[in-house]
């Protein structure tokens, strides 16, 4: 299983063992322990399959348009509504997770998402497909934020970058598996098969997640209303959420169109999936490098490397929208995601510890609402065949963003380390 590759980092220090809930918690129940490695693998599987679902549509824009008698722009709208559903329901899932527990919320979300994806395989019209994909996005939106919150609840801050980078790598592998697997299955039979396979795999994971223990709750937890107020009144929490929304528009907004660029040049659906699957493969490589550098380099440095890589990625597309340019863009966007986004994820788990679930959920909302905006802005240019304008637009927007986000992370570090003023 490819996810096993993502756990090759030193074993993190857990705040306490993961105790399995068996009836009421109390003396004698603490002995029921699940290995942290197994828990992490289950979280990685959830992140992986939710990411597969998110990117299934990318290599299928042309096949779906041809089969349902509609336009590529209309099919691209299904990606936009998916991201909107994904982004708008994050806080709702945070409330559910605080109410019924992290694991129960994760299982419920994946069950609903798996059913919606399975139904997408039978969608008779583009309108029905849009509704089902919006519902799937709203359900799968719980997966990665819940996994991040679970790690934040269970792993000491100094050891958190490794597991968070693993989750990021799992999502990237899911994106690569989606573009490669969906393209191959569509060429083998039709565009409906990838949705059917994805839905069945997710429902199988729901059953497996019964073995995932609920993390122990340590320290006070704020009520929901107080949690939201704590996050929205924290200047750094708001700053990180705004920055990740821009990151989503730039780093993720362009991804669904990369296979289409290749297909427009005459490349087959399957081969375009092979080329763009390089994104996930490179993230695995860069994630290993990030985990090695995380303890030696400042967060601002890591984010700066990511921002520079994203700028270079779109510069490569300006030069060439063929196989070489898209391949280079995939590799550089992988570096951007590995260096910048994993550092952003760790940042949001630190800014408001008492309201971590809400902060992480709003972070994910910002990321995917930004992604929806980026996809919406890019669809017009790609559908009209204006590939050069598409590449230039993302390149010109990414360069200043890289400067701003790096400066912001450096300012947070400096602010964090400044000793308080002594009273006179």
């Amino acid at each position: 299983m490819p996810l096993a590759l993502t756990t090759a980092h030193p074993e993190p220090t857990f705040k306490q063992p993961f105790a399995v809930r068996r009836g009421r918690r109390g003396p004698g129940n603490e002995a029921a322990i699940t290995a942290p490695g197994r828990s992490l693998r289950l979280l990685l599987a959830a992140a992986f399959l939710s990411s597969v679902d998110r990117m299934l549509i990318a290599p299928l824009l042309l096949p779906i348009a041809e089969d349902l008698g509609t336009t590529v722009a209309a099919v691209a709208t299904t990606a936009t509504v998916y991201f909107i559903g994904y982004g708008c329901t994050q806080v709702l899932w945070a409330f559910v997770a605080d109410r019924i527990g992290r694991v129960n919320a994760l299982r419920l979300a994946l069950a609903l998402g798996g059913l919606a994806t399975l139904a997408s395989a039978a969608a008779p019209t583009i309108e029905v497909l849009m509704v089902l994909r919006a519902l799937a996005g709203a359900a799968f939106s719980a997966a990665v934020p819940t996994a991040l919150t679970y790690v934040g609840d269970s792993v000491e801050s100094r050891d958190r970058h490794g597991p968070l980078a693993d989750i990021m790598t799992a999502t990237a592998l899911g994106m690569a598996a989606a573009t490669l697997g969906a393209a191959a299955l569509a060429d083998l039979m039709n565009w409906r098969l990838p949705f059917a396979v994805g839905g069945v795999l997710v429902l199988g994971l729901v059953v497996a997640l019964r073995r995932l223990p609920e993390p122990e709750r340590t320290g006070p937890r704020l009520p929901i209303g107080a949690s939201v107020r704590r996050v929205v009144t924290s200047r750094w929490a708001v700053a990180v959420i705004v920055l990740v929304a821009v990151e989503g528009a730039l780093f993720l907004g362009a991804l669904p169109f990369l296979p289409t660029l290749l297909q427009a040049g005459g490349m087959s659906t399957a081969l375009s999936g092979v080329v763009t699957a390089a994104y996930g493969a490179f993230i695995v490589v860069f994630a290993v490098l990030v985990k090695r550098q995380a303890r030696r380099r400042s967060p601002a440095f890591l984010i700066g490397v990511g921002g520079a890589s994203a700028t270079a990625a779109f510069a490569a597309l300006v030069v060439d929208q063929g196989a070489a340019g898209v391949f280079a863009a995939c590799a550089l966007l992988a570096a951007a995601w590995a260096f910048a986004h994993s550092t952003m994820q760790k940042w949001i788990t630190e800014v408001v510890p008492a309201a971590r679930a809400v902060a992480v959920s709003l972070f994910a909302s910002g990321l995917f609402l930004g992604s929806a905006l980026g996809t919406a802005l890019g669809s017009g240019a790609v559908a009209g065949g204006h590939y050069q304008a598409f590449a230039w637009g993302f390149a010109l927007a990414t360069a200043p963003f890289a400067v701003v986000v790096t400066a912001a992370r450096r300012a947070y570090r400096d602010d964090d380390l400044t000793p308080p003023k002594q009273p006179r």
Side-chain angles (χ1 to χ4, degrees), residues 66-94:
E66 292 172 357
D67 184 53
L68 297 182
T70 187
T71 64
V72 170
V75 181
T77 303
T78 64
T80 300
V81 298
Y82 187 100
F83 285 142
I84 291 173
Y86 202 105
C88 288
T89 53
Q90 301 287 340
V91 176
L92 296 178
W93 283 116

Side-chain angles (χ1 to χ4, degrees), residues 2-17:
L3 291 180
L5 298 175
T6 66
T7 57
H9 57 79
E11 187 71 15
T13 302
F14 289 84
K15 295 176 181 177
Q16 68 237 330

Side-chain angles (χ1 to χ4, degrees), residues 59 176 179-180 183 259 262-263 267-278:
T179 55
L180 183 59
L262 298 174
Q263 293 167 20
M267 187 176 289
S268 70
T269 302
L271 189 54
S272 70
V274 171
V275 174
T276 52

Side-chain angles (χ1 to χ4, degrees), residues 9 48 55 70 87 151 191 254 303 333 356 365 424:
H9 57 79
F48 175 84
M55 287 300 292
T70 187
V151 170
W191 65 267
I303 286 180
L333 283 173
R356 184 178 287 122
S365 291
R424 295 175 182 246

Side-chain angles (χ1 to χ4, degrees), residues 35-333:
R38 178 187 295 176
S39 297
L40 182 57
R41 285 191 292 272
L42 288 170
L43 293 175
L44 296 181
F48 175 84
L49 288 178
S50 70
S51 184
V52 166
D53 190 82
R54 189 166 68 245
M55 287 300 292
L56 275 179
I57 201 75
L60 304 178
L61 297 180
L62 287 177
I64 292 175
E66 292 172 357
D67 184 53
L68 297 182
T70 187
T71 64
V72 170
V75 181
T77 303
T78 64
T80 300
V81 298
Y82 187 100
F83 285 142
I84 291 173
Y86 202 105
C88 288
T89 53
Q90 301 287 340
V91 176
L92 296 178
W93 283 116
F95 295 166
V96 172
D98 276 343
R99 180 78 175 178
I100 67 174
R102 311 293 191 219
V103 178
N104 287 334
L106 182 60
R107 294 186 67 210
L108 174 62
L110 291 177
L112 294 174
L115 291 173
T117 295
L118 199 57
S120 298
T125 66
I126 188 62
E127 291 79 13
V128 173
L129 183 62
M130 284 183 189
V131 172
L132 290 171
R133 298 313 291 153
L135 292 174
F140 281 112
S141 67
V144 173
T146 303
L148 297 177
T149 304
Y150 194 107
V151 170
D153 288 346
S154 308
V155 183
E156 296 290 352
S157 179
R158 67 180 182 274
D159 298 316
R160 205 173 285 159
H161 210 125
L164 292 177
D166 285 342
I167 291 172
M168 176 208 66
T169 305
T171 63
L173 285 172
M175 296 167 76
T179 55
L180 183 59
L185 290 174
D187 266 4
L188 181 65
M189 292 188 65
N190 57 48
W191 65 267
R192 299 179 186 275
L193 184 59
F195 289 104
V197 172
V200 169
L201 290 176
V202 170
L203 294 176
L205 178 60
V206 172
V207 177
L209 281 169
R210 291 183 300 176
R211 295 177 294 170
L212 181 65
E214 184 71 19
E216 297 280 358
R217 296 196 174 199
T218 58
R221 294 282 179 88
L222 296 175
I224 294 301
S227 295
V228 174
R229 286 194 298 273
R230 179 71 65 87
V231 173
V232 299
T233 56
S234 166
R235 66 190 181 102
W236 281 115
V238 172
V240 175
I241 291 166
V242 170
L243 289 170
V244 84
V246 180
E247 182 196 43
L250 298 175
F251 290 19
L252 295 182
L255 279 177
F257 301 109
L258 297 185
T260 304
L261 295 182
L262 298 174
Q263 293 167 20
M267 187 176 289
S268 70
T269 302
L271 189 54
S272 70
V274 171
V275 174
T276 52
Y279 175 81
F282 275 108
I283 282 193
V284 175
V285 175
F286 286 121
V288 173
L289 181 59
V290 169
K291 286 186 284 188
R292 290 175 180 172
Q293 296 294 318
R295 289 178 179 266
R296 292 183 286 179
R297 298 288 190 174
S298 71
F301 175 85
L302 298 176
I303 286 180
V305 171
S309 299
T311 304
F314 294 116
L317 287 179
V318 169
V319 175
D320 178 31
Q321 292 97 46
V326 170
F327 182 84
C330 287
L332 290 164
L333 283 173

